[in-house]
Amino acid sequence: MMRYSIRVPRRGTALMATAVALATVAACSSGSPSGASSSSAPSGATATSAVPTSAVPTSAPPSPTPTPTPTRTYPLSTAPRTVPAVRDHEPARGPGWKPAPAAGIVLGPNSAGLADEGRLLAGELGVPYRGAVAAGPGDVELALGGTGGPESYTLTVRDNRVRISGPDEAGVFYGTRTLKQSVKATGAMPEGVVTDAPAKPQRGLNVDIARKYFTAGWIEDRLREMADLKLNQFGLHFSDDQGFRIASDSHPEIVSAQHLSKAEVRRILALAQSLHITVVPEIDSPGHLGAVLRAHPDLQLRNVQGVPRQGAIDISKPASARIVDDLLREYSALFPGGWFHVGADEYQALTVRNPSASYPQLATAARQKYGPQAGVQDLAEGWLNDRAAVVRGEGKVAKAWNDGFFRGGVVTADKRIEVEYWTGKEIGARPPAEYLAEGRKVVNLNDEFLYYVLGEPNQFTYPTGRRIYEQWTPLVLRGTTPVPARYGPQILGGRFAVWCDLSRSQTQAQVADGIRMPLTATAQKLWDERKPVLTWDQFRALAAKVR
């Protein structure tokens, strides 16, 4: 409060007593000491109102003269406490920003496309959304513009205002996640300027809903968690031997009893789009098609003795390509994102000692299509290229698992297909540097760190957030050894993956709880692959506050 000096006329002992009384009242106005009266003067009353009338001098003293209050100084601010951590914060001196009753969310000029982001943030912070009006004291302004890269943003706190700007809506959205988390962690956003952008363009979560049915609500909850972690890609593996989990118009006979309706999928997609997350559908072929083949047993791959191979379709039959392409086109129309995963892993025809002898029909088809030197491997590689061409025709970039890319054959996989590297355990395993040396683009799903396999079969163990946080980076594609740093630009990012091999091992709630910290650690390392500043214990404690 302001301090006042009491000027006392020299009128003897009585007046001196009055002055002492006045000084005592003024000193107590900032809070009564223990035992003092709890009553206070009404607003606007002078200090003399608390003094008995008989003690007031016949002529009032001059008005109190305020002495200047020293200008308050602030220490340099520190970076906001968020997960993932911001990449750069320029500190400044000031009180920072806190939500207040007068605060609101407004949009800058030519930024009407940020209305959804503004409404969401307003609800989260408990302040009104005011739309496209000029920012006032206490406001948060969202604005499109700037020269940063995709998904980048600048967040400035100055003069009791916040401004979040970025060249695209996704970047501004991520700035709102930073503001939300900082307020949740400490109640405020520190003074200064945050300049932030992701290290990798693809950052996400992969969920196998084919082996285990997950509800639409569960998926939507994961999307909301992902958004706060600045993750932008959700892989949806919905077709496998155990089930086909999305309704189909072209082939309703293949759909499992427990499945997502197309209305539910559209609801999921609408939420994902509002959170700047792309959903990447996957129909794995020519392996992992057991649910399709139960309705079409004539397309099942059989060896020379007539023994069927689980989940494998006979790629020598034209009808096999027709049904898979029907599905690829149907779901390309349903999913608006820019990618489609076509699988290509673990084709059982290639896991035997002599594929041509075991599957002569495949060997014959290979020679007919690709020449006398071609073998079963080439037919499988050609199948991958053909499926990639189908989704490319629908405006998608194809993704495929790394064990569907072979060396030394007549047919080479199209280099426009993104390699999703998950394992080095397959027959004829190729180290990740081989793919990179060929100039291919790779996404990291290293099964050593990023595979959460229900029931922990085949020597899998549930990954821990600590191990990811302390030991993994996007360069660690296989095992624990990173590829040379020069390949960094070819590694597009990564996804943490949930696979439901033993589907009853955990409930939906247990899966959500089990992946919480591993996914959080993955998000940190995909946003900023440098060594984190916080220790694991500090990071875990912060995540508990802001998530």
Side-chain angles (χ1 to χ4, degrees):
M1 63 170 280
M2 299 289 285
R3 293 181 297 168
Y4 294 87
S5 60
I6 310 259
R7 297 182 180 180
V8 183
R10 296 184 180 179
R11 294 187 180 180
T13 306
L15 291 181
M16 181 62 72
T18 300
V20 171
L22 285 169
T24 302
V25 171
C28 294
S29 65
S30 62
S32 299
S34 177
S37 172
S38 60
S39 63
S40 59
S43 176
T46 63
T48 56
S49 65
V51 181
T53 305
S54 61
V56 178
T58 55
S59 60
S63 299
T65 302
T67 58
T69 299
T71 301
R72 183 173 179 182
T73 60
Y74 296 90
L76 277 175
S77 61
T78 57
R81 292 170 56 76
T82 63
V83 175
V86 301
R87 291 171 64 85
D88 184 73
H89 175 253
E90 180 184 334
R93 298 186 187 277
W97 179 89
K98 295 180 180 180
I105 310 299
V106 303
L107 304 183
N110 304 311
S111 300
L114 296 172
D116 288 344
E117 287 77 10
R119 291 188 182 95
L120 177 63
L121 182 63
E124 292 168 334
L125 296 180
V127 300
Y129 171 71
R130 293 204 286 265
V133 298
D139 283 347
V140 177
E141 181 186 36
L142 309 182
L144 290 171
T147 58
E151 301 182 297
S152 67
Y153 68 92
T154 301
L155 190 159
T156 303
V157 180
R158 183 183 297 126
D159 300 329
N160 192 33
R161 299 184 190 186
V162 178
R163 188 173 194 271
I164 304 173
S165 63
D168 55 29
E169 293 177 15
V172 176
F173 176 70
Y174 294 140
T176 69
R177 302 304 85 195
T178 293
L179 179 61
K180 173 191 173 183
Q181 286 195 11
S182 181
V183 169
K184 193 171 182 180
T186 65
M189 182 73 199
E191 201 87 3
V193 180
V194 170
T195 305
D196 207 8
K200 295 297 180 184
Q202 296 187 31
R203 311 173 304 280
L205 171 66
N206 211 78
V207 177
D208 166 18
I209 70 168
R211 295 179 176 94
K212 180 181 181 67
Y213 173 73
F214 289 89
T215 64
W218 187 92
I219 293 170
E220 289 167 342
D221 286 344
R222 303 291 77 69
L223 292 174
R224 294 185 184 97
E225 287 189 16
M226 290 173 61
D228 280 353
L229 293 171
K230 301 183 175 77
L231 298 171
N232 66 358
Q233 198 177 78
F234 182 73
L236 194 61
H237 179 92
F238 65 90
S239 168
D240 213 302
D241 296 345
Q242 293 81 356
F244 193 98
R245 302 292 184 182
I246 296 178
S248 173
D249 299 319
S250 65
H251 290 281
E253 73 280 1
I254 69 175
V255 179
S256 301
Q258 278 191 309
H259 66 273
L260 299 173
S261 69
K262 287 196 172 179
E264 288 177 309
V265 172
R266 291 188 181 100
R267 192 181 79 200
I268 290 168
L269 292 170
L271 176 62
Q273 186 174 19
S274 74
L275 299 174
H276 301 279
I277 296 170
T278 300
V279 181
V280 181
E282 180 188 354
I283 296 178
D284 201 348
S285 78
H288 296 281
L289 283 171
V292 173
L293 293 170
R294 276 195 292 276
H296 296 273
D298 55 309
L299 300 180
Q300 180 90 46
L301 177 66
R302 297 177 183 272
N303 67 12
V304 70
Q305 285 86 28
V307 177
R309 293 306 300 265
Q310 180 182 356
I313 201 167
D314 190 333
I315 59 177
S316 70
K317 295 182 176 181
S320 296
R322 284 196 296 270
I323 191 171
V324 171
D325 291 350
D326 286 346
L327 297 170
L328 292 176
R329 292 189 177 99
E330 177 180 359
Y331 294 103
S332 288
L334 177 62
F335 289 86
W339 293 275
F340 205 115
H341 202 304
V342 297
D345 65 313
E346 297 181 318
Y347 187 45
Q348 295 297 307
L350 296 172
T351 62
V352 298
R353 186 182 301 276
N354 189 337
S356 293
S358 295
Y359 301 98
Q361 76 275 32
L362 301 183
T364 298
R367 289 191 296 270
Q368 289 173 346
K369 189 169 184 178
Y370 298 113
Q373 303 304 314
V376 176
Q377 170 186 303
D378 298 298
L379 193 66
E381 202 78 285
W383 173 276
L384 169 59
N385 286 342
D386 290 345
R387 306 295 75 75
V390 169
V391 300
R392 193 177 305 116
E394 301 296 318
K396 313 291 186 185
V397 173
K399 291 176 172 287
W401 300 113
N402 67 283
D403 49 332
F405 294 75
F406 307 110
R407 65 157 80 92
V410 173
V411 181
T412 301
D414 192 311
K415 287 190 177 180
R416 291 171 290 183
I417 305 170
E418 293 179 3
V419 180
E420 303 248 296
Y421 199 99
W422 71 282
T423 186
K425 301 181 178 75
E426 76 281 3
I427 294 174
R430 300 176 64 196
E434 277 197 23
Y435 302 85
L436 296 163
E438 292 172 0
R440 298 186 184 275
K441 294 178 180 179
V442 177
V443 179
N444 192 326
L445 286 96
N446 183 342
D447 64 350
E448 174 79 19
F449 288 92
L450 306 179
Y451 262 36
Y452 191 93
V453 185
L454 266 59
E456 301 182 301
N458 302 320
Q459 299 182 326
F460 281 106
T461 58
Y462 293 130
T464 67
R466 180 170 195 157
R467 189 162 182 253
I468 295 168
Y469 187 76
E470 293 180 345
Q471 299 180 30
W472 179 81
T473 75
L475 291 173
V476 182
L477 284 159
R478 173 178 172 177
T480 59
T481 304
V483 297
R486 67 178 181 274
Y487 291 127
Q490 289 173 239
I491 300 173
L492 302 177
R495 294 196 306 282
F496 186 85
V498 177
W499 297 104
C500 302
D501 292 41
L502 300 176
S503 61
R504 297 182 180 179
S505 300
Q506 290 190 340
T507 65
Q508 287 191 140
Q510 287 172 324
V511 173
D513 184 61
I515 69 174
R516 184 177 179 83
M517 284 311 300
L519 184 64
T520 305
T522 303
Q524 171 64 46
K525 303 303 281 290
L526 289 168
W527 189 263
D528 187 348
E529 53 194 328
R530 297 172 298 184
K531 183 178 179 180
V533 173
L534 299 182
T535 66
W536 166 250
D537 287 338
Q538 291 170 332
F539 179 80
R540 183 177 57 184
L542 176 59
K545 280 189 173 183
V546 303
R547 294 202 54 201

